[in-house]
Amino acid sequence: MKVLNTNSRYLHDNIVKYAEKITSTLPDRLNVIYMCNSGSEANDLAMRLARHYTKAKDIITMDHAYHGHISSMIDISPYKLKVQMDGVHTCPRHVYVAPCPDTYRGKYADCDYPGEDLGEKYANEVGDICKVIQGRGKNVCAFIAESMQSCGGQIVFPPGYLKRVYRHVREAGGVCIADEVQVGFGRVGSHFWAFQVQDVVPDIVTMGKPMGNGHPVSAVVTTREISEAFKQCGMQYFNTFGGNPVSCAIALAVYDVIEKEGLQKHALEVGNYMKAQAAKLMEKYSIIGDIRGHGLFIGIDFVRNRKTREPATEEAKYIIKKMKEDYKILLSTDGPYDNVLKMKPPMCFSKENCDYLLQSLEQLIKDVASKDFEPSHRWTVVDATKPGTRVMHLKASL
């Protein structure tokens, strides 16, 4: 910061160095980078790129999705729209919602469709929306989704889901946006980017949060064809702080640490250890209904009854409260019923940290068993996304 802190109007080697670093981790066709300050900015720019390339407007998002806090992103974030109380922010007519491909408690749960290809079933829901849009004489602009959904309850997509979805969307004239803001940079362990788990190549990738390890920096990476279409619209992209020398120096330093300290491999090893140890708890305590995740992206689904999968919302709230008070461990819950313990710890998280976390969790699970919790809601399964419908202001069955 002492050397040079200018806006991005002035050229500096750091932005080129970072562009080369980050594009080297991506498929060859993703080779044009735009620098921003936050995940919200990155996703907003991704939508602009998609619109100028496709000349279309209709967007497909996912139920329970969250893509940022600015108005354009709230439009495509049912996670926020559903809990709105005053009805001020209404969902645009060009936004459509596909069911979240949650195979544990979603529209197509594994217990209800044993042995069936749930990736195909959920992908066909997107295909049906594409047909509705085309039936109205329009093309799809874009499909946007986190490569693994965080706010929906740490959801790992069934095999083949994104591959089929991308095919449906592209056949309808749209582009595919992978939101890697929460799940990228080696967190999944097996790959550097979470979309690679599904063996797909998006048209646009957005990234943020871990990119600066707390410093506000983010990026959008896309293809040359999409970038050229954006250029032709005549509206130049300028961002006062996006891509400034200081932010790029920080992003470069973070990337170097991930690489030199082998944090991707570390995430895989520690994440596998965490899931294995959590599975031992699941054998002992019926409140744990499901454990899911990749690398250091893990969810523990608390239930009142494993057969019905009724969410243990009050129990989960109690556990995270006591984790903080008694053990100084900060955790949170998420998912449609706020009953999924979500874990996205720092990439340096160790096996010893896992042991302390799970030992503390076990003590509180024992504590929960001795208490009587009254459910704060009547539990019902709500179908938020019938094929062809737009997003809707659904009260989340509370």
Side-chain angles (χ1 to χ4, degrees):
M1 294 181 79
K2 288 180 179 179
V3 175
L4 181 66
N5 189 10
T6 65
N7 66 38
S8 54
R9 181 177 282 109
Y10 304 101
L11 299 180
H12 191 274
D13 287 348
N14 277 0
I15 193 167
V16 179
K17 290 177 182 177
Y18 191 74
E20 290 173 343
K21 287 271 190 182
I22 213 66
T23 55
S24 72
T25 68
L26 291 160
D28 290 343
R29 65 190 295 262
L30 294 167
N31 53 27
V32 181
I33 186 168
Y34 296 82
M35 299 294 290
C36 313
N37 302 294
S38 70
S40 296
E41 275 194 12
N43 283 330
D44 179 77
L45 178 57
M47 299 305 302
R48 289 176 60 197
L49 292 169
R51 284 177 176 169
H52 285 287
Y53 179 71
T54 63
K55 307 299 188 289
K57 194 174 182 181
D58 291 50
I59 305 297
I60 303 173
T61 186
M62 193 178 288
D63 199 16
H64 312 307
Y66 175 67
H67 293 292
H69 67 85
I70 59 180
S71 294
S72 62
M73 293 298 101
I74 295 297
D75 286 349
I76 58 172
S77 297
Y79 178 75
K80 290 292 186 182
L81 287 174
K82 283 183 178 183
V83 298
Q84 181 185 203
M85 302 297 288
D86 61 7
V88 168
H89 196 126
T90 57
C91 183
R93 293 189 59 81
H94 62 268
V95 176
Y96 298 74
V97 178
C100 172
D102 178 356
T103 60
Y104 185 70
R105 62 171 74 255
K107 182 174 182 178
Y108 301 111
D110 51 13
C111 58
D112 298 324
Y113 298 88
E116 296 194 41
D117 188 338
L118 301 187
E120 182 177 25
K121 281 188 171 294
Y122 276 113
N124 285 343
E125 295 279 335
V126 177
D128 289 340
I129 293 174
C130 291
K131 291 174 184 175
V132 169
I133 293 171
Q134 290 181 306
R136 293 173 177 168
K138 301 178 181 180
N139 285 332
V140 174
C141 172
F143 168 83
I144 182 170
E146 288 185 279
S147 304
M148 295 191 298
Q149 196 185 65
S150 180
C151 291
Q154 303 294 89
I155 304 302
V156 175
F157 303 155
Y161 172 72
L162 282 183
K163 185 164 283 191
R164 293 186 178 99
V165 166
Y166 281 19
R167 185 178 69 246
H168 288 310
V169 170
R170 285 165 174 159
E171 288 174 353
V175 299
C176 302
I177 302 171
D179 181 339
E180 294 272 336
V181 171
Q182 296 196 61
V183 295
F185 290 90
R187 176 163 293 278
V188 297
S190 57
H191 301 81
F192 199 78
W193 303 106
F195 68 78
Q196 294 169 318
V197 173
Q198 288 268 316
D199 191 28
V200 294
V201 178
D203 302 296
I204 305 173
V205 178
T206 61
M207 53 195 74
K209 293 186 196 300
M211 188 171 168
N213 197 32
H215 179 83
V217 59
S218 65
V220 179
V221 184
T222 189
T223 66
R224 191 162 300 280
E225 292 78 14
I226 291 174
S227 177
E228 283 296 322
F230 185 56
K231 179 181 177 182
Q232 293 304 318
C233 81
M235 193 187 304
Q236 291 183 340
Y237 172 72
F238 174 74
N239 190 317
T240 301
F241 294 109
N244 73 78
V246 175
S247 292
C248 288
I250 289 169
L252 278 164
V254 172
Y255 181 90
D256 287 345
V257 168
I258 293 171
E259 192 174 53
K260 291 175 182 176
E261 297 185 9
L263 293 185
Q264 178 183 327
K265 180 181 178 183
H266 179 79
L268 181 62
E269 292 175 354
V270 176
N272 286 342
Y273 178 79
M274 172 88 84
K275 286 190 292 183
Q277 297 305 109
K280 293 178 182 177
L281 286 186
M282 186 174 176
E283 292 175 3
K284 296 166 64 175
Y285 305 104
S286 61
I287 192 173
I288 299 177
D290 189 41
I291 299 165
R292 51 185 175 262
H294 280 294
L296 288 176
F297 178 92
I298 298 170
I300 297 179
D301 198 309
F302 290 120
V303 297
R304 289 175 163 246
N305 182 304
R306 281 187 181 172
K307 186 174 181 180
T308 65
R309 302 186 178 182
E310 178 183 356
T313 300
E314 295 307 308
E315 293 86 338
K317 288 180 180 178
Y318 175 83
I319 285 172
I320 62 168
K321 178 175 180 288
K322 298 296 287 182
M323 284 289 252
K324 176 185 175 183
E325 292 176 353
D326 296 353
Y327 301 102
K328 311 306 178 190
I329 297 173
L330 299 177
L331 287 167
S332 57
T333 56
D334 228 318
Y337 302 98
D338 249 355
N339 68 305
V340 179
L341 192 69
K342 63 176 184 180
M343 289 183 265
K344 292 175 290 185
M347 295 278 277
C348 57
F349 206 69
S350 67
K351 291 180 180 179
E352 291 73 23
N353 296 145
C354 291
D355 290 337
Y356 178 66
L357 170 65
L358 294 174
Q359 287 163 10
S360 305
L361 179 61
E362 182 170 16
Q363 291 303 313
L364 291 176
I365 288 175
K366 290 177 181 177
D367 193 23
V368 162
S370 67
K371 299 182 182 298
D372 185 25
F373 291 90
E374 286 295 324
S376 61
H377 62 273
R378 177 171 52 84
W379 181 63
T380 55
V381 176
V382 174
D383 179 8
T385 55
K386 292 181 180 177
T389 58
R390 295 183 301 103
V391 179
M392 311 60 356
H393 297 74
L394 291 171
K395 302 282 185 183
S397 68
L398 298 179

